[in-house]
Amino acid sequence: MDDLFGYKELITGGDMTDIFNSWRKRIEGDGPIEKHILLLKLKDILENSPDFGVRSNFDSSSPQRQWLSQVKALLSRLGFENKMKFESSFNSLPHSWKYAIIRIQGQVLDAIEEIKLDLELDDRSEIGSAYAPGDVYRFYADLKEIINSAKSQIMIVDPYFDGVAFKDYLSTINCDINIQILANRYSKDINSYVSKHQDQYSTDIYIRKSKELHDRIIFIDDDIAWIIGGSIKDAGKKATYLIPLQPSLSVKKKEIYAEIWQRAQPVEADA
């Protein structure tokens, strides 16, 4: 049976704040930022659907099986009804392969339209958001939501990221998340905050300094990336934007910055 209300998390001693936030999100549903990500992932998975043929290889490592698993995970995020529709179609695959695949692809299309309508009703139909000078809180709330959505890792690329930005956006992040900060000018300032945070919480936060940086971008987990129109520290002072990348492009972009990270200079505790 699914752990709908997080009881397993409670039994295993999870952080109470994280558990409360998890319960609240289940009740309230996804916000506009997460809906944008779900929309992009659903579009990307539909565009990159493998060839299922008359009857495809159904081994657990096959592209077809992996595609179906990804679809299930995404549709399940949209609620119990979508999950059950998928499972009904999935269970009919052995008996009616082609028809079941068509039904599943149709369910993805329906989910895309459902999210688009929700965003339109919230007046957030445009993918990404633009912020005028003075939109301090709206930018803060949206970027905080993006950062808090991370499950395992965050990489921030911003040549002008500073210690105050770290305090505002990263100081309350789940301590189990690996954080990489690729900065330049204010790396020493960031390190003074990070060192204290590591001493108190034993967090996995790493800073490196590089002059190769041009983008301002945040990578969340494996395949989510948001481009930022200017430095995070200047948000609210200058016009800026947040635009999510397609998952396939996010992966390629992350590979580029993983190479830059390897070449970058580590910022030590005594920097």
Side-chain angles (χ1 to χ4, degrees), residues 36-182:
H36 281 151
I37 290 298
L38 279 171
L39 181 58
L40 284 176
K41 286 195 169 190
L42 286 165
K43 286 182 174 180
D44 190 68
I45 206 167
L46 196 60
E47 291 170 4
N48 294 287
S49 174
D51 180 15
F52 284 94
V54 177
R55 172 91 186 191
S56 296
N57 178 12
F58 211 50
D59 182 81
S60 60
S61 62
S62 70
Q64 294 80 8
R65 186 64 178 83
Q66 290 177 5
W67 186 88
L68 289 165
S69 295
Q70 291 169 348
V71 169
K72 178 183 178 181
L74 291 171
L75 293 181
S76 296
R77 281 294 301 272
L78 295 174
F80 184 73
E81 184 179 351
N82 283 286
K83 180 180 179 181
M84 294 306 295
K85 285 180 180 178
F86 172 85
E87 290 186 351
S88 174
S89 300
F90 182 84
N91 291 335
S92 68
L93 280 168
H95 315 292
S96 182
W97 178 267
K98 186 175 181 180
Y99 178 65
I101 292 298
I102 291 172
R103 282 178 59 191
I104 291 170
Q105 291 171 333
Q107 288 161 14
V108 175
L109 280 170
D110 290 345
I112 288 171
E113 293 304 317
E114 179 183 333
I115 296 173
K116 285 167 67 176
L117 178 58
D118 284 347
L119 288 168
E120 186 177 340
L121 292 172
D122 290 337
D123 198 25
R124 298 294 292 268
S125 56
E126 295 294 327
I127 295 293
S129 298
Y131 307 86
D135 282 351
V136 181
Y137 182 75
R138 195 164 67 92
F139 179 88
Y140 170 83
D142 285 350
L143 184 55
K144 192 77 172 175
E145 184 179 346
I146 290 168
I147 288 172
N148 287 344
S149 70
K151 301 295 187 297
S152 60
Q153 55 185 293
I154 298 168
M155 175 187 271
I156 292 182
V157 177
D158 182 347
Y160 295 100
F161 193 76
D162 64 3
V164 174
F166 172 86
K167 178 175 70 69
D168 287 345
Y169 293 101
L170 296 174
S171 60
T172 59
I173 203 72
N174 187 320
C175 294
D176 294 330
I177 292 176
N178 179 286
I179 300 172
Q180 296 173 302
I181 302 170
L182 196 49

Side-chain angles (χ1 to χ4, degrees), residues 28 52 60 174 185-186 237:
E28 294 178 354
F52 284 94
S60 60
N174 187 320
R185 185 171 181 178
Y186 302 107
K237 302 174 187 175

